[in-house]
Amino acid sequence: MGLETLSTNRSFGGVQGVYKHASAATGTDMTFSVYVPDHAPGAKLPVVWYLSGLTCTHANVTEKGEFRRLCAELGLIFIAPDTSPRGEGVADDPDGAYDFGLGAGFYVDATQAPFAPNYQMWTYVTQELPALIAQAFPTDMDRQSIMGHSMGGHGALTIGLTFPDRYKAVSAFSPIVAPTRVPWGQKALPGYLGDDQTAWRKHDAVALIEDGARIPDLLVDQGDADNFLTNQLKPELLEEACKAAGIALTLRLQPGYDHSYYFISTFMADHLRWHADRLGSS
């Protein structure tokens, strides 16, 4: 498999690991983290995927997410991929902006130069990395769920809506729900995918719902002191789309909370319990 272990640490009876491998999808080395709780020999555990936001790597949630105690209690494997390819020769935003290029892959398969050779994050997260995880860790891949934050919330929503039979639960913190309608997405989607707006809609949760994608229910937490709330996130658009489609959305506007991991870590346990209930975990 070519999987290299970068570090392992004992935590709440389980093991927090960080790993690296050569990705065929991105043409680069990719780093990700996996927490595996203590379990009986031969047991297969359900999997929660966590997709991170702009500027982040696997390390942000691994170090700040405060998920391990509850994952150990509930018997959940927690996986955090990187947000983009990295390394020598990987294209970046020509102006060095934080919201495009390195750290900002937007979970799409780029078709535009110079990004197409490496920015194949949709394939990486939905195909290549799950296959590797299934081989290397004690996973029950019939019980997977997905969550994410900000750009990663966008990724979790669009992936969950695209593969409703694969992911038994979907949730998000402060997601970009309609990237085709906000500045972050209006920069990233044409930059990676070109001018065909049909291709953009496949990576817009609200558009996917409008076009017929369905999941039974959805949990979203959003801080009302988030400085990106009105300009970039617009959770009311998701609320309207879910209501029209009959999707049971639990949208919680949390007073005083911002966009940071102080917010995410506060409500992480609620999300993990939401996922465990739908995964049939303990």
Side-chain angles (χ1 to χ4, degrees):
M1 292 180 294
L3 187 64
E4 179 182 350
T5 300
L6 300 182
S7 66
T8 57
N9 295 94
R10 192 78 166 154
S11 182
F12 295 102
V15 175
Q16 177 64 67
V18 179
Y19 307 92
K20 181 172 74 171
H21 73 114
S23 168
T26 68
T28 67
D29 286 345
M30 296 292 288
T31 301
F32 62 94
S33 73
V34 181
Y35 177 71
V36 180
D38 191 25
H39 57 282
K44 299 291 187 180
L45 305 180
V47 174
V48 177
W49 294 88
Y50 180 94
L51 304 185
S52 296
L54 292 165
T55 76
C56 293
T57 69
H58 70 281
N60 298 74
V61 69
T62 305
E63 296 169 4
K64 303 176 186 177
E66 300 183 24
F67 56 85
R68 279 172 287 269
R69 181 189 294 274
L70 203 60
C71 283
E73 176 186 325
L74 298 172
L76 299 173
I77 291 176
F78 190 97
I79 304 169
D82 203 347
T83 53
S84 79
R86 301 176 194 271
E88 185 177 352
V90 176
D92 195 5
D93 185 285
D95 299 319
Y98 76 94
D99 56 358
F100 189 67
L102 296 179
F106 267 82
Y107 304 101
V108 304
D109 282 348
T111 59
Q112 303 301 297
F115 302 99
N118 303 117
Y119 284 76
Q120 301 294 307
M121 291 301 295
W122 180 271
T123 294
Y124 178 71
V125 168
T126 67
Q127 297 180 32
E128 184 179 25
L129 187 55
L132 177 62
I133 293 293
Q135 289 183 302
F137 297 94
T139 55
D140 180 354
M141 299 303 275
D142 290 328
R143 292 191 292 163
Q144 297 183 69
S145 66
I146 192 164
M147 69 165 79
H149 169 235
S150 193
M151 178 187 71
H154 139 76
L157 295 180
T158 56
I159 291 170
L161 285 162
T162 302
F163 301 103
D165 295 330
R166 181 189 303 182
Y167 301 99
K168 309 303 182 186
V170 183
S171 73
F173 302 97
S174 313
I176 308 169
V177 304
T180 61
R181 305 191 207 180
V182 301
W184 277 337
Q186 289 166 349
K187 177 179 181 179
L189 295 178
Y192 292 132
L193 302 176
D195 295 331
D196 179 6
Q197 296 192 20
T198 303
W200 301 1
R201 292 185 68 82
K202 297 176 183 178
H203 297 284
D204 180 307
V206 169
L208 281 167
I209 294 169
E210 291 173 347
D211 292 345
R214 296 291 182 268
I215 52 177
D217 52 15
L218 177 61
L219 172 63
V220 173
D221 273 304
Q222 170 67 62
D224 74 357
D226 188 326
N227 59 326
F228 301 115
L229 176 59
T230 58
N231 190 40
Q232 302 280 13
L233 305 178
K234 298 185 181 295
E236 68 277 5
L237 297 178
L238 181 65
E239 188 171 34
E240 293 166 5
C242 287
K243 183 177 181 181
I247 295 172
L249 169 66
T250 301
L251 174 61
R252 307 191 303 187
L253 198 62
Q254 303 290 1
Y257 285 90
D258 59 16
H259 201 70
S260 73
Y261 270 87
Y262 295 107
F263 159 64
I264 295 166
S265 62
T266 299
F267 299 102
M268 178 64 80
D270 291 352
H271 284 245
L272 290 173
R273 290 190 180 97
W274 167 278
H275 288 251
D277 287 346
R278 287 151 181 80
L279 289 167
S281 180
S282 57

